[in-house]
Amino acid sequence: MDGKVTLKDISKATGYSLISIHRAIYNKEGLSEETRKKILKAVEKTGYRVNYMASALKRKTIKIALIMCEGNTTGDYHNTMLAGCRMAAGEFAGLNCTVSEFLYPAGLIGAKQECRILDSLLYEHPEEYDGLLVVPENTGRELSLCLNKHIAQGTPVILIDNKFEDMKYLCCISPRSYLIGRLGAEYLCKTSSPGKILVALGDETSKTHQENVEGFEAYINDNKLPFSCVYIHDPYDEEEETALIDSAVQSDSAITAMYTVREKNSHALAKVASRYPQRKFQVLASDLCPSNVQNLKEGIVSGVIDKNAYQRGYLGMSTLFGYVLKHENPKAKILSVPVSIVMQSNLPFYVGEMGSGICISSTEI
């Protein structure tokens, strides 16, 4: 169709009524999902483009709820992801779109609050939110039930990090933890002397953390490498975890390297490694929080796996807005962002003036 395409032109070209076309384009009630998809496909062929800025003045405010754990320090994993979410949300703010943030503390107490928040949105604010962006702390049954209630009501849900089996969420921004675990094992097995690798485990209820360990073990076993693993369970207290790691290192001289599946445990590994400089541990930390950056500069850790929390937050929020506002389906059920191993030599590409602006600080390196 030549020239400026109108809804009347689309109606004539497709055979659908103006009301049906308007309902499909602006995500209004009154159409089956199958009909909506047919109309949107037909509209796309006409070359029609919605003026979202103009339509924003005519419709109600689109509201998204962000539910995630709050960070403990500036620039840590969750605060970095939150910054990415906020950046994406800011790009849609001019289109009459808002985001309500529901943040809860880390740890076991926070995981219970996560379910309370979801139930509160469902029962106290029904139909108020047009979409949910959730960063699950675990993959337990209780949380699965809470999320499924929202999905059953037709609310689009995007997850970041943890995914659930047999759940009809819109998509998951996954770190591909199994591959990350294999990456970590490959790095340490190629840089460490044969022996034992101390692995600081994460949350045992988190599918993401479990897959990371599975990938780590699989790389060693698949390649029949002369390494075995010593596991330290997370007591959710840094001092207690540090003591457990210290005790393991003292009692086992065969430990030559250390690995963690998440940022929180990196601090304890670095503390212990700094106490035994003569052991020359290869320590692979997780995520570019300020303390990991400093420990990398000082040589306490030899590398950091950066899972790109900022870009995952940005991708999750922009994908959800794209679906709710523009009816753009995610390109796949599982979406990912690049993951990197950062060492001293390539650290300037990630932080400082040479960095992408998504990490920590502007301090020159």
Side-chain angles (χ1 to χ4, degrees), residues 39-69:
I39 293 176
L40 290 176
K41 188 174 182 179
V43 169
E44 185 179 357
K45 290 181 178 179
T46 67
Y48 180 81
R49 294 291 180 269
V50 178
N51 185 336
Y52 291 103
M53 186 63 74
S55 64
L57 302 175
K58 302 176 184 178
R59 58 163 167 75
K60 70 179 183 69
T61 301
I62 288 179
K63 295 183 179 180
I64 299 296
L66 170 62
I67 305 165
M68 64 179 293
C69 174

Side-chain angles (χ1 to χ4, degrees), residues 286-303:
S286 178
D287 297 293
L288 283 174
C289 62
S291 60
N292 279 341
V293 170
Q294 189 60 37
N295 287 330
L296 187 58
K297 291 180 184 179
E298 296 176 4
I300 297 173
V301 302
S302 50

Side-chain angles (χ1 to χ4, degrees), residues 67 102 114-129 132 142 144-153 155:
I67 305 165
F102 298 91
E114 185 177 24
C115 290
R116 293 194 192 103
I117 291 169
L118 285 165
D119 281 344
S120 173
L121 294 180
L122 185 66
Y123 299 117
E124 298 177 20
H125 307 278
E127 300 181 359
E128 181 173 344
Y129 292 95
L132 301 181
E142 185 180 1
S144 175
L145 289 172
C146 290
L147 289 169
N148 271 322
K149 291 176 186 176
H150 285 273
I151 293 171
Q153 282 203 339
T155 304

